[in-house]
Amino acid sequence: VCVCVCVRQIEWMEEEGVAPSAIPKILQKNPQILGLNIDARLKETLGYLKSQLQLSGEDVTCLIASAPSLLGLHPQRTLEPKLMFLSDGVGLEPRVLRKLVLKSPGLLTLSKTAKLEHNVEFLVSKVGIPRTSLSRVIEKAPSLLALSTSNNLQPIIDFLTDPRGLAIGHAKVGAMVAQQPQILMSSLEHKLKPCVAFLQEELLLSVSQASKVVQGSPSLLGFSVSANLQGKVAFYSTALGVTRAQVGSMVCKFPTLLSLSIEGNVKLKLRYMLRYMHVDKQVIVTSPQLLAYSLRNRIYPRFLHVNRIGAQGQASLSSLLCMPDKVFYERFPSTYQKPEAYNISLSDVASGMVRSRKKADYVTTSGGEGPYTGSPRGTTPQRRGWKSVSTRTKGPNVTPPSASDGQ
C-alpha cells in the first residue's frame, strides 16, 4: 500500500510538470509529501495558490520544485491569512505578490505573527521606513521579512545611528533604506564597517562627511573595498593627478562618484573631455558631477553642436551640460551661424577600448539646419575632421563604438 501511495505522489508531481530528475531531491528535502493525501491536501493547496496568485503551469512547476513544503500548508487556515497580510498589511499589488511568492516562496512558510507582522512593524517603527514606501521595499528585498530583527537588522541600525559611527538621524535612515533596502542585508563586519572605515581613513573624511556621502549614495555600503572602492580611488588619483584626500573632496561633492563604472564609462568620458574638449583637470576635480552625464547622449553632441555653430566659450562646461534640451537648443540655435558639419568618432576617444558591433552605429552631425540629431543609421558619416575650442582641427577616424549605457 505504501509503495502504491508513493507512486501516486510521484505521478502527480510529474503530471504538474516537475521533471523526474528533480523529484528525488524534492522528496529528500520534504519526505512528508509522500504522506499527504493528493485530493484532500496537495490538489486543494495547489489549486488555492493557482487561483489566488494566477499561476501558470510553468509557475506551478517552479513552485513545487523550489518550495515543496508549501504543499503541506492548509489553504484557509495558513496560507490565506499570510497572503491577506502581504496584500492588505504591506500593500503589495496582486502582480507584485505573485512575483514575490515565486521569487521567495519560503515567505509563506514563516509565522504570520512571530515573523511577518513582527518584521514589518520593526521596519516601520524602528528603521523608520514610511508606510507608503513599505511595499516597494519588500518588493526589492523580500528577505527582510525573514531576517532576525535582533541578530541581523538591529545591529545595522545601531551602526548607522550611533553618534560614534555615522550618526545618521532615524528619519534619514528610513529614507536611506527605502532607497536602498539591500543595506539591511549586507554584512555589517565585512561590508558596512570596512566601507565606512575606508571613507574615513583612506579618503580622510570626517564623521559628518562620511555620513553625508553614505546618505547621498547608500549603495556604497554594499561595495567591496578591495575589489571595488580601492581601484576606483586609485584611478581618479592617477587620471586627474590628485591625492586621495582630494578624491575624498570630490566624493563629498558628488557621492555617486564611487558608484560609477570606470571601464566603458568614466574612463571614456575623461579621455574625451581631456583630449578633445581640452577641459582642465581641475574643472573635473571641482565639478565631479560632470562625469555623471552621458558621453553618447549629452557631452559629445552638445560640445559638437556648440563648436559647429561657433558658440564656443559662451557657457561654462557645467552650464553647457546641465541645461534641459529645450533650453540648450533655444540658447544655441543652429541659425546662430551657418552650420558647418564636423565629425569625430567616439572610437577615436576609446582608442581601441571599445569596438563597433555594426557599421550603422556611426554617430555624426547631420550637417543641416536645426539642432544636432546625428546621421541616419546606416548612412555614411561625413569625414571632415574635428573643430575644437583650440586650434586642433582633425583627429583620426576609426570605426566608432556602438551605443551603450553610460557612454
Side-chain angles (χ1 to χ4, degrees), residues 259-318:
S259 299
L260 299 177
S261 170
I262 299 298
E263 295 297 330
N265 185 8
V266 173
K267 185 178 287 188
L268 205 57
K269 293 173 186 177
L270 275 179
R271 185 177 179 84
Y272 182 73
M273 287 181 174
L274 300 179
R275 181 174 178 180
Y276 293 105
M277 296 175 68
H278 303 287
V279 175
D280 191 287
K281 292 180 179 179
Q282 190 58 38
V283 173
I284 306 297
V285 175
T286 304
S287 303
Q289 68 274 12
L290 296 175
L291 295 174
Y293 291 105
S294 168
L295 175 59
R296 172 75 66 178
N297 301 318
R298 182 64 67 97
I299 300 172
Y300 173 63
R302 288 200 175 185
F303 191 66
L304 190 67
H305 179 76
V306 166
N307 271 270
R308 74 177 183 135
I309 66 173
Q312 306 95 318
Q314 294 192 14
S316 67
L317 180 59
S318 182

Side-chain angles (χ1 to χ4, degrees), residues 289-290 293 298-299 302 315-328 331-332:
Q289 68 274 12
L290 296 175
Y293 291 105
R298 182 64 67 97
I299 300 172
R302 288 200 175 185
S316 67
L317 180 59
S318 182
S319 298
L320 190 71
L321 298 180
C322 74
M323 295 180 198
D325 283 342
K326 186 175 184 297
V327 175
F328 175 81
R331 180 169 178 180
F332 300 106

Side-chain angles (χ1 to χ4, degrees), residues 76-133:
Q76 283 71 39
R77 289 201 302 266
T78 308
L79 292 176
E80 186 174 15
K82 295 176 184 179
L83 289 175
M84 289 186 62
F85 173 73
L86 292 173
S87 176
D88 301 334
V90 177
L92 296 176
E93 298 178 356
R95 172 188 59 83
V96 177
L97 181 57
R98 172 184 171 276
K99 180 181 176 182
L100 182 141
V101 171
L102 290 174
K103 180 182 178 181
S104 304
L107 291 179
L108 294 183
T109 64
L110 300 174
S111 167
K112 174 179 176 288
T113 305
K115 184 55 70 173
L116 296 179
E117 292 180 347
H118 174 73
N119 280 33
V120 165
E121 181 59 29
F122 180 89
L123 292 173
V124 173
S125 61
K126 301 296 182 181
V127 179
I129 297 175
R131 283 212 171 261
T132 53
S133 303

